[in-house]
Amino acid sequence: MNSGRIEWNRQSWPATGMGAKEFGRTQGRRSTWLGEVAEVWRRWCAEEEPGLAVTTSGTTGTPKHIRHSRKATAFSVAQTTEALDLAKGCHAVLALPTAFVAGQAMLIRALIGHWRLTLVEPSAVPSWSENVDFTAMTPHQAEGWLKQGTGSTNTLLLGGGPVSSALLRGLHASNRVSNIWEGFGMSETLTHVALRHLDSIAALTAPFVPLPETRVVADARGCARIDAPGREVHGLSTSDLVDVNDAGSFVWLGRMDNVVNSGGVLVHPEEVEQAFHTICPNWVNDFVVYGRPEETLGFEVVLRVQIAEPGRDLDHAFSTWRSQLKSLLGTAKTPRSVELGQVPRTDRGKVQRRTLP
């Protein structure tokens, strides 16, 4: 049977143990990310345990070492390929770093599924030259790919952060992607345990649907508790606030550790960011909403923007944005302050709110 192929820099290797050794010998020392690909590839083909091992990013707390068995990893891979109808031998692009769970899972899917996998150096602007069947990116990467990257894909899986209405509109208008999915999951659950099909802007308010043999409930705090026995996940407590409906699907509300208590009103920064996406001008490069200590309210909601063009009338723009947000969110959730500054992000594009004042 065809073993599949791994491609990089106009070269190709069979997706086997021998291919992994040759790739590691000839390419693994060229850079850290290629070495990580070689090691994940080698370990899986050598049938070593654990099947997948990662360290979390630490954006919401102390980094943790996560280990998953080969059995659980294979179960996760099978669920993704079935849910997204990814056939054996499909052509995919790996644009995610294999130091983290999503990138490792992508590589292992290719090894199990005998895919043709094209490697792309992980960056904020992924690019490739062909039309492929499948790729996965963070929303931050997808924005860069849409604006400056090349290539197209039949199916795109987004995860690792909220998808904005502006990004989704751009993807649909680009004619570079046919099917867009968003996943809900984490390192502890071996990538996504629930999906939603983003076939329209309205889908951004639709619930995530758990994959088969997966159950998501809300605990006493309103946070998701996950059971996914096939992935060896049992009663996993999270900090993700969810609204679970009677059918078992759920709407993600935001992270509990991001919630801003402003004068007794609980504000989800993610909700405010979604609203700002609908009015954000193209001269704003990036933005984030966070809570800053304030003597009267305890915390005030702050919108920080990073701009591309100096010389703008920012006072007028800030006043206009606050007025528009007030009509969308109400007074209590509207940022009291709008400021100019850098938006701190990790290499994967995740906002580092904890570093903000």
Side-chain angles (χ1 to χ4, degrees):
M1 178 180 283
N2 182 5
S3 63
R5 307 288 297 181
I6 309 295
E7 301 175 345
W8 156 247
N9 198 26
R10 300 182 181 179
Q11 299 179 69
S12 176
W13 295 262
T16 62
M18 289 297 294
K21 290 179 181 177
E22 182 63 14
F23 180 87
R25 184 184 70 81
T26 60
Q27 310 297 318
R29 296 180 182 178
R30 287 176 175 258
S31 66
T32 300
W33 77 271
L34 288 171
E36 290 167 347
V37 168
E39 180 60 10
V40 174
W41 180 359
R42 182 200 66 77
R43 292 185 71 259
W44 184 262
C45 289
E47 300 186 0
E48 295 181 7
E49 288 283 4
L52 188 151
V54 295
T55 301
T56 62
S57 61
T59 53
T60 58
T62 304
K64 295 182 290 185
H65 300 289
I66 308 292
R67 297 158 66 90
H68 294 285
S69 71
R70 289 180 64 84
K71 181 180 178 182
T73 303
F75 186 89
S76 167
V77 165
Q79 284 201 313
T80 297
T81 54
E82 182 176 351
L84 301 184
D85 193 25
L86 302 172
K88 282 188 177 293
C90 81
H91 185 190
V93 161
L94 171 58
L96 297 162
T98 51
F100 299 105
V101 66
Q104 285 196 28
M106 191 73 169
L107 177 55
I108 294 169
R109 288 175 200 137
L111 297 174
I112 291 178
H114 309 292
W115 292 0
R116 174 188 170 196
L117 184 69
T118 299
L119 306 180
V120 172
E121 182 173 4
S123 75
V125 186
S127 290
W128 56 93
S129 59
E130 301 174 80
N131 178 58
V132 300
D133 298 309
F134 176 55
T135 192
M137 288 187 270
T138 67
H140 186 64
Q141 284 184 306
E143 288 176 0
W145 173 68
L146 195 59
K147 293 176 181 177
Q148 302 177 49
T150 59
S152 58
T153 181
N154 181 55
T155 299
L156 171 63
L157 175 62
L158 296 170
V163 178
S164 71
S165 56
L167 171 59
L168 188 56
R169 282 193 188 93
L171 289 169
H172 280 302
S174 70
N175 294 319
R176 292 167 63 189
V177 57
S178 302
N179 296 293
I180 306 168
W181 292 84
E182 182 182 7
F184 170 86
M186 56 209 71
S187 298
E188 292 87 344
T189 63
L190 230 164
T191 71
H192 50 273
V193 291
L195 291 167
R196 62 179 178 182
H197 192 200
L198 299 182
D199 55 353
S200 67
I201 297 300
L204 288 172
T205 60
F208 286 92
V209 179
L211 295 172
E213 301 180 48
T214 301
R215 182 168 178 258
V216 177
V217 300
D219 64 16
R221 304 167 300 157
C223 293
R225 190 174 73 245
I226 302 170
D227 284 290
R231 302 178 185 224
E232 300 169 1
V233 174
H234 305 281
L236 175 68
S237 293
T238 75
S239 295
D240 291 280
L241 292 158
V242 293
D243 182 10
V244 183
N245 63 34
D246 293 339
S249 56
F250 61 93
V251 174
W252 182 77
L253 302 175
R255 295 279 302 179
M256 187 179 73
D257 36 18
N258 289 343
V259 171
V260 179
N261 187 336
S262 183
V265 177
L266 301 182
V267 181
H268 298 284
E270 296 89 349
E271 180 186 3
V272 182
E273 288 168 353
Q274 276 285 11
F276 186 66
H277 265 295
T278 66
I279 63 172
C280 180
N282 57 16
W283 49 269
V284 172
N285 271 353
D286 204 357
F287 63 88
V288 64
V289 174
Y290 71 100
R292 182 167 59 199
E294 200 271 341
E295 188 173 334
T296 304
L297 298 171
F299 286 88
E300 65 174 348
V301 180
V302 180
L303 168 64
R304 172 180 286 201
V305 295
Q306 184 175 314
I307 67 172
E309 301 174 11
R312 290 277 179 175
D313 183 353
L314 295 179
D315 288 340
H316 176 72
F318 291 174
S319 176
T320 300
W321 295 342
R322 290 194 72 253
S323 177
Q324 292 172 314
L325 289 172
K326 196 172 293 185
S327 68
L328 293 169
L329 299 166
T331 302
K333 295 181 180 180
T334 296
R336 284 172 57 90
S337 299
V338 184
E339 65 182 20
L340 192 63
Q342 293 291 116
V343 176
R345 290 186 179 271
T346 67
D347 291 340
R348 292 194 293 165
K350 288 191 175 184
V351 174
Q352 296 178 300
R353 291 183 213 270
R354 289 169 178 250
T355 67
L356 293 165

PDB file of all heavy atoms in Angstrom, residues 151-167:
ATOM      1  N   GLY A 151      -1.792  30.187  -2.225  1.00  0.00           N
ATOM      2  CA  GLY A 151      -2.329  28.847  -2.135  1.00  0.00           C
ATOM      3  C   GLY A 151      -3.816  28.852  -1.830  1.00  0.00           C
ATOM      4  O   GLY A 151      -4.397  29.879  -1.472  1.00  0.00           O
ATOM      5  N   SER A 152      -4.446  27.685  -1.978  1.00  0.00           N
ATOM      6  CA  SER A 152      -5.866  27.532  -1.681  1.00  0.00           C
ATOM      7  C   SER A 152      -6.107  26.134  -1.126  1.00  0.00           C
ATOM      8  O   SER A 152      -5.248  25.256  -1.227  1.00  0.00           O
ATOM      9  CB  SER A 152      -6.708  27.763  -2.938  1.00  0.00           C
ATOM     10  OG  SER A 152      -6.331  26.856  -3.967  1.00  0.00           O
ATOM     11  N   THR A 153      -7.280  25.935  -0.546  1.00  0.00           N
ATOM     12  CA  THR A 153      -7.592  24.651   0.075  1.00  0.00           C
ATOM     13  C   THR A 153      -9.082  24.368  -0.040  1.00  0.00           C
ATOM     14  O   THR A 153      -9.902  25.301  -0.002  1.00  0.00           O
ATOM     15  CB  THR A 153      -7.151  24.622   1.552  1.00  0.00           C
ATOM     16  OG1 THR A 153      -7.441  23.343   2.121  1.00  0.00           O
ATOM     17  CG2 THR A 153      -7.872  25.695   2.371  1.00  0.00           C
ATOM     18  N   ASN A 154      -9.435  23.116  -0.176  1.00  0.00           N
ATOM     19  CA  ASN A 154     -10.849  22.757  -0.216  1.00  0.00           C
ATOM     20  C   ASN A 154     -11.468  22.881   1.177  1.00  0.00           C
ATOM     21  O   ASN A 154     -12.534  23.469   1.340  1.00  0.00           O
ATOM     22  CB  ASN A 154     -11.016  21.334  -0.733  1.00  0.00           C
ATOM     23  CG  ASN A 154     -12.485  20.933  -0.801  1.00  0.00           C
ATOM     24  OD1 ASN A 154     -13.295  21.607  -1.427  1.00  0.00           O
ATOM     25  ND2 ASN A 154     -12.842  19.849  -0.126  1.00  0.00           N
ATOM     26  N   THR A 155     -10.768  22.352   2.193  1.00  0.00           N
ATOM     27  CA  THR A 155     -11.282  22.379   3.568  1.00  0.00           C
ATOM     28  C   THR A 155     -10.276  23.050   4.476  1.00  0.00           C
ATOM     29  O   THR A 155      -9.096  22.721   4.449  1.00  0.00           O
ATOM     30  CB  THR A 155     -11.573  20.951   4.078  1.00  0.00           C
ATOM     31  OG1 THR A 155     -12.572  20.352   3.245  1.00  0.00           O
ATOM     32  CG2 THR A 155     -12.067  20.971   5.514  1.00  0.00           C
ATOM     33  N   LEU A 156     -10.756  23.996   5.284  1.00  0.00           N
ATOM     34  CA  LEU A 156      -9.925  24.704   6.251  1.00  0.00           C
ATOM     35  C   LEU A 156     -10.501  24.487   7.638  1.00  0.00           C
ATOM     36  O   LEU A 156     -11.689  24.719   7.868  1.00  0.00           O
ATOM     37  CB  LEU A 156      -9.893  26.197   5.936  1.00  0.00           C
ATOM     38  CG  LEU A 156      -9.247  27.121   6.976  1.00  0.00           C
ATOM     39  CD1 LEU A 156      -7.762  26.800   7.142  1.00  0.00           C
ATOM     40  CD2 LEU A 156      -9.443  28.592   6.591  1.00  0.00           C
ATOM     41  N   LEU A 157      -9.659  24.042   8.562  1.00  0.00           N
ATOM     42  CA  LEU A 157     -10.054  23.873   9.957  1.00  0.00           C
ATOM     43  C   LEU A 157      -9.377  24.963  10.784  1.00  0.00           C
ATOM     44  O   LEU A 157      -8.155  25.078  10.788  1.00  0.00           O
ATOM     45  CB  LEU A 157      -9.633  22.496  10.470  1.00  0.00           C
ATOM     46  CG  LEU A 157      -9.870  22.216  11.960  1.00  0.00           C
ATOM     47  CD1 LEU A 157     -11.354  22.288  12.312  1.00  0.00           C
ATOM     48  CD2 LEU A 157      -9.294  20.853  12.335  1.00  0.00           C
ATOM     49  N   LEU A 158     -10.178  25.766  11.477  1.00  0.00           N
ATOM     50  CA  LEU A 158      -9.677  26.853  12.310  1.00  0.00           C
ATOM     51  C   LEU A 158      -9.795  26.467  13.771  1.00  0.00           C
ATOM     52  O   LEU A 158     -10.778  25.850  14.197  1.00  0.00           O
ATOM     53  CB  LEU A 158     -10.471  28.135  12.052  1.00  0.00           C
ATOM     54  CG  LEU A 158     -10.366  28.729  10.645  1.00  0.00           C
ATOM     55  CD1 LEU A 158     -11.390  29.836  10.452  1.00  0.00           C
ATOM     56  CD2 LEU A 158      -8.958  29.257  10.395  1.00  0.00           C
ATOM     57  N   GLY A 159      -8.810  26.865  14.567  1.00  0.00           N
ATOM     58  CA  GLY A 159      -8.841  26.587  15.999  1.00  0.00           C
ATOM     59  C   GLY A 159      -7.749  27.352  16.709  1.00  0.00           C
ATOM     60  O   GLY A 159      -6.837  27.892  16.080  1.00  0.00           O
ATOM     61  N   GLY A 160      -7.853  27.426  18.022  1.00  0.00           N
ATOM     62  CA  GLY A 160      -6.832  28.115  18.804  1.00  0.00           C
ATOM     63  C   GLY A 160      -7.186  29.544  19.138  1.00  0.00           C
ATOM     64  O   GLY A 160      -6.376  30.257  19.745  1.00  0.00           O
ATOM     65  N   GLY A 161      -8.386  29.995  18.775  1.00  0.00           N
ATOM     66  CA  GLY A 161      -8.812  31.355  19.069  1.00  0.00           C
ATOM     67  C   GLY A 161     -10.117  31.648  18.385  1.00  0.00           C
ATOM     68  O   GLY A 161     -10.512  30.944  17.441  1.00  0.00           O
ATOM     69  N   PRO A 162     -10.829  32.686  18.812  1.00  0.00           N
ATOM     70  CA  PRO A 162     -12.114  33.027  18.201  1.00  0.00           C
ATOM     71  C   PRO A 162     -11.964  33.438  16.742  1.00  0.00           C
ATOM     72  O   PRO A 162     -10.988  34.065  16.359  1.00  0.00           O
ATOM     73  CB  PRO A 162     -12.619  34.200  19.061  1.00  0.00           C
ATOM     74  CG  PRO A 162     -11.810  34.148  20.319  1.00  0.00           C
ATOM     75  CD  PRO A 162     -10.489  33.577  19.945  1.00  0.00           C
ATOM     76  N   VAL A 163     -12.968  33.094  15.944  1.00  0.00           N
ATOM     77  CA  VAL A 163     -13.013  33.486  14.535  1.00  0.00           C
ATOM     78  C   VAL A 163     -13.879  34.736  14.425  1.00  0.00           C
ATOM     79  O   VAL A 163     -15.032  34.745  14.855  1.00  0.00           O
ATOM     80  CB  VAL A 163     -13.597  32.363  13.662  1.00  0.00           C
ATOM     81  CG1 VAL A 163     -13.685  32.803  12.204  1.00  0.00           C
ATOM     82  CG2 VAL A 163     -12.753  31.101  13.797  1.00  0.00           C
ATOM     83  N   SER A 164     -13.340  35.789  13.851  1.00  0.00           N
ATOM     84  CA  SER A 164     -14.085  37.041  13.725  1.00  0.00           C
ATOM     85  C   SER A 164     -14.971  37.020  12.484  1.00  0.00           C
ATOM     86  O   SER A 164     -14.717  36.279  11.520  1.00  0.00           O
ATOM     87  CB  SER A 164     -13.130  38.228  13.635  1.00  0.00           C
ATOM     88  OG  SER A 164     -12.458  38.236  12.382  1.00  0.00           O
ATOM     89  N   SER A 165     -15.991  37.862  12.510  1.00  0.00           N
ATOM     90  CA  SER A 165     -16.867  37.976  11.341  1.00  0.00           C
ATOM     91  C   SER A 165     -16.102  38.550  10.149  1.00  0.00           C
ATOM     92  O   SER A 165     -16.335  38.157   9.000  1.00  0.00           O
ATOM     93  CB  SER A 165     -18.080  38.853  11.676  1.00  0.00           C
ATOM     94  OG  SER A 165     -17.673  40.128  12.149  1.00  0.00           O
ATOM     95  N   ALA A 166     -15.149  39.460  10.420  1.00  0.00           N
ATOM     96  CA  ALA A 166     -14.359  40.046   9.334  1.00  0.00           C
ATOM     97  C   ALA A 166     -13.506  38.978   8.648  1.00  0.00           C
ATOM     98  O   ALA A 166     -13.408  38.938   7.415  1.00  0.00           O
ATOM     99  CB  ALA A 166     -13.472  41.160   9.874  1.00  0.00           C
ATOM    100  N   LEU A 167     -12.887  38.100   9.425  1.00  0.00           N
ATOM    101  CA  LEU A 167     -12.084  37.027   8.846  1.00  0.00           C
ATOM    102  C   LEU A 167     -12.961  36.090   8.036  1.00  0.00           C
ATOM    103  O   LEU A 167     -12.606  35.708   6.908  1.00  0.00           O
ATOM    104  CB  LEU A 167     -11.354  36.250   9.952  1.00  0.00           C
ATOM    105  CG  LEU A 167     -10.637  34.973   9.509  1.00  0.00           C
ATOM    106  CD1 LEU A 167      -9.580  35.273   8.454  1.00  0.00           C
ATOM    107  CD2 LEU A 167     -10.013  34.259  10.705  1.00  0.00           C
TER     108      LEU A 167
END
